[in-house]
Every structure is written in structure tokens, then in C-alpha cells.
Amino acid sequence: MSVRIGVVGLGRMGKLHCRVLSEMTQVELACVVDRDTELAAELARKYHTTALPDAPAAAEAVDAAVIAVPTVAHVEVARPFVLAGKPVLIEKPIATGSAEAEELLDLADQTGSTVHVGHTERFNPAVQAIRRFDIAPKFIEAHRISPFTFRSADIGVVLDIMIHDIDLVLMMVAAEPVQVQAVGVNVLGAPEDIANARLTFPTGCVANLTASRLAIKTERKMRIFSEQAYLSVDYAKRVGIVVKKSENLDLIQMARRMDAKDLAELALGVDYTKLVRFEELKIENTVEPLRQQAEAFCRSITDGAEPVVTGRQGLAAVRCAEAIIESIKSHPWDGSPTGRTGLDIIRKDVS
């Protein structure tokens, strides 16, 4: 029996969800919804489904729904489905604020609805490859930059782009930060477009996250340092390397026995990169991450499987993002003398 799923919000991500769901034999794309009724009608014709006027109407026609509207409307649009006890997959982030996210999750607890959050990077095969290593991170460094896409202008870069790495870091550390320091700049509008955050965790792990949506190139990289190994991964290219301590103990012991002068002499004829033993990260899964996410959503509906990213995990990511944004807003740009804090540092001089 097919699972009847509706897609609400037919922007870039909504269209992708429609395409993926329409290709799945276990799914019936039951309806599409968008405030642009012409667009909804067009996609309904393309995928041989029904265009419905709003979320409440869709909640009566489906077994579950994908919520792909702008972030500011996530909770409002998801609520009719949650009230009806229907599972929802909400695009990341779950909400613009933790209070409204928590309210929706409390409602889901009452009605029996299941809330999934679309942190699709969890399904990136590079992420799945990293998770095969049993490591306890001590330092994580992430860079996620891209040119401006003119989408998600209703939120800043922290909720738009950095949220991916926030979720991944929280997953790896299995804790929320106890200290957050951040700085950011808004260039094109009210929300921040560039941000850097330093997160300190109760485990002693420190994560340094950088995000920009004003770059001239796209880059999604992370480096993970632990006592057991060092991992470097490029999420966009889906490649990476692993340097294990256990495979390099002889090199470490040799270096520790030598003084600075001995090491300097080695530099004349030894290539360090040839000494280090490393392995390529084995990235095997070639299934599209969005397809994997949709299949996991279906398994949860039909078999009761635990969501890959639960609503509570999505809430934790938003809580962390809120703390980063608050730190950005309070950052003293010039120290104490001028009192300039937070955003709106780049502004036209007024004579």
C-alpha cells in the first residue's frame, strides 16, 4: 500500500521533494500546495496529482506531509498536520525560534504526530562514512561558504547555512554547547550574511564554525581532531582522508625522541607527507541524499522507525543557532569606547 504524502511549498526544495517522491514506488504524491495557485496547478499536472488550496485541506487528504515553505512559516503550516496526528518532514531549520519549535513538538507529543527535520546533510555519504569511525571529537573546524542565491533572505546565514554544521557537530559531540562566542556581519539586509562561531562543550570539545553566503566560490569542508584520529572531509566533493594515531605511532615516537635541531636537519631530505600513513575515506553510497531522506521518512511512517533527525534534535540545533545569533548581536566591534555592537556595522556615512 502506498503512503500518501503531500508537499506544501513549491519553491526550489519543494520541487525537488515532488520529483523524488514521484519516483518512489511506495509513495503516492497525494497533493501539492502553494500560495501561487498557478504554480501548484502546473506541478499537479506534471506529477498527475491534485493541487489543494491550503495546509488544512491537505491535512485531510494525506498520510504525511513535507513542509518546504519559507522558514518563518514552518510552524504555522505544519500545525494542521500535527493536530491531525500526521507525520511531518519539515525542511531545516525546524523553526526560526526555539519557543515556537518547542510548542509544535509539545503538540506532536499530544496528538501522536512524528516530526522529522530535513537536515539532509546527515544523508551525505561523506557524513555516513565519518560515522563509521568511533571517535570522540576534541576540536572541529567547519567552513561552509557559497555565493548569494537570493533564497532564504528571510533568515540569516546562521539559520540558512551554518545550521547544517551546527546539526552535524551536535550529532558528533552528542551534547549542546555550554559557551558560545560569535561574530557576524550583515551586508545585504537585516540578517547576518557572514558569521563565525566558537562553541565549547561540556566534554571539552571546541568547534569553530564559519559560514558565508557572500563568497565567490562554494565550499563545504570539515576537519575533526580526536585522540584516536584526524579526519578531513569535503562534503561537496564527497571525498576525505583519515589519519589514525594507531597507524602512525612509530612516526610520532620518532619525532618525540628528536630535538628541534634534528627535526630541522630532516627537512633537508624528508617529505613529511610521504611519512604519514593515511587512508582515503571510503564513501560508498551513491543514492541521492534527498532520496535517502524520503525513504527514511517512509520507513518511519510504515514501520515505526526512529526519525534520522528528530524534532528534538532539530530544536537543539535551533537553540544553538539562537545563542550564536544573540552573541553576534552583542559583539562589541570596537571594544568599549564606541559602544557599536552587533549588526549594521557596514553602513553608508551620513554627513
Side-chain angles (χ1 to χ4, degrees):
M1 182 177 176
S2 296
V3 180
R4 298 173 303 156
I5 300 179
V7 176
V8 186
L10 301 176
R12 174 178 171 272
M13 287 307 301
K15 291 187 179 89
L16 291 173
H17 283 292
C18 286
R19 192 257 303 162
V20 167
L21 293 171
S22 71
E23 295 169 351
M24 296 172 61
T25 56
Q26 70 270 43
V27 171
E28 175 193 344
L29 181 57
C31 66
V32 292
V33 179
D34 197 275
R35 62 184 179 183
D36 183 339
T37 55
E38 291 185 7
L39 173 62
E42 177 187 337
L43 286 177
R45 287 192 296 271
K46 180 177 180 178
Y47 292 110
H48 309 289
T49 188
T50 304
L52 293 178
D54 52 35
E60 297 179 3
V62 301
D63 300 316
V66 174
I67 310 300
V69 296
T71 305
V72 293
H74 278 180
V75 170
E76 175 190 353
V77 171
R79 186 174 285 110
F81 299 96
V82 173
L83 273 170
K86 307 290 178 70
V88 289
L89 169 60
I90 304 175
E91 265 299 326
K92 63 81 193 166
I94 186 174
T96 55
S98 60
E100 61 173 350
E102 194 145 22
E103 178 189 343
L104 184 70
L105 295 174
D106 288 344
L107 179 61
D109 289 341
Q110 295 169 21
T111 63
S113 170
T114 307
V115 177
H116 304 238
V117 186
H119 285 283
T120 317
E121 200 74 284
R122 292 268 196 116
F123 297 90
N124 187 315
V127 173
Q128 295 173 336
I130 287 174
R131 298 195 72 180
R132 288 197 287 269
F133 292 88
D134 184 20
I135 61 171
K138 288 300 181 184
F139 177 68
I140 302 172
E141 185 174 42
H143 285 83
R144 189 172 293 261
I145 63 174
S146 65
F148 193 59
T149 63
F150 302 95
R151 297 189 302 270
S152 300
D154 57 321
I155 55 176
V157 74
V158 173
L159 284 170
D160 181 19
I161 294 176
M162 186 183 282
I163 195 76
H164 288 292
D165 292 317
I166 292 171
D167 174 64
L168 293 177
V169 167
L170 297 187
M171 175 194 73
M172 293 176 193
V173 182
E176 294 188 46
V178 293
Q179 184 179 20
V180 175
Q181 294 174 297
V183 63
V185 176
N186 60 325
V187 178
L188 301 181
E192 76 287 344
D193 297 302
I194 304 167
N196 173 266
R198 180 181 175 87
L199 313 178
T200 303
F201 292 87
T203 61
C205 178
V206 172
N208 188 35
L209 312 181
T210 298
S212 170
R213 55 186 182 184
L214 300 181
I216 58 174
K217 65 176 181 178
T218 297
E219 186 175 277
R220 293 154 53 199
K221 295 182 177 180
M222 182 176 283
R223 297 191 296 163
I224 305 159
F225 300 79
S226 77
E227 294 182 56
Q228 302 92 348
Y230 161 74
L231 293 89
S232 175
V233 62
D234 186 321
Y235 292 128
K237 295 179 181 178
R238 297 181 183 177
V239 296
I241 64 165
V242 183
V243 182
K244 296 178 182 177
K245 183 175 74 173
S246 60
E247 300 294 325
N248 290 277
L249 284 175
D250 54 347
L251 175 61
I252 295 169
Q253 290 165 356
M254 179 191 75
R256 287 181 174 179
R257 285 194 300 265
M258 302 175 76
D259 59 23
K261 182 180 177 181
D262 293 332
L263 289 171
E265 290 176 357
L266 276 180
L268 299 175
V270 176
D271 183 347
Y272 168 78
T273 63
K274 298 292 192 299
L275 294 176
V276 177
R277 298 184 187 94
F278 68 91
E279 60 185 87
E280 301 289 336
L281 198 62
K282 293 181 181 178
I283 299 173
E284 300 168 350
N285 201 328
T286 57
V287 178
E288 180 184 5
L290 202 66
R291 173 65 179 258
Q292 291 186 62
Q293 179 180 261
E295 289 175 347
F297 185 40
C298 285
R299 285 194 298 274
S300 177
I301 297 166
T302 58
D303 304 336
E306 179 77 5
V308 173
V309 186
T310 67
R312 296 291 170 186
Q313 290 169 331
L315 169 62
V318 169
R319 265 199 303 262
C320 183
E322 281 182 327
I324 292 170
I325 293 167
E326 284 305 307
S327 182
I328 288 172
K329 290 179 178 178
S330 62
H331 175 72
W333 273 97
D334 308 302
S336 56
T338 66
R340 293 198 308 165
T341 59
L343 301 173
D344 283 332
I345 300 305
I346 299 177
R347 59 178 70 185
K348 189 179 292 185
D349 290 336
V350 179
S351 57

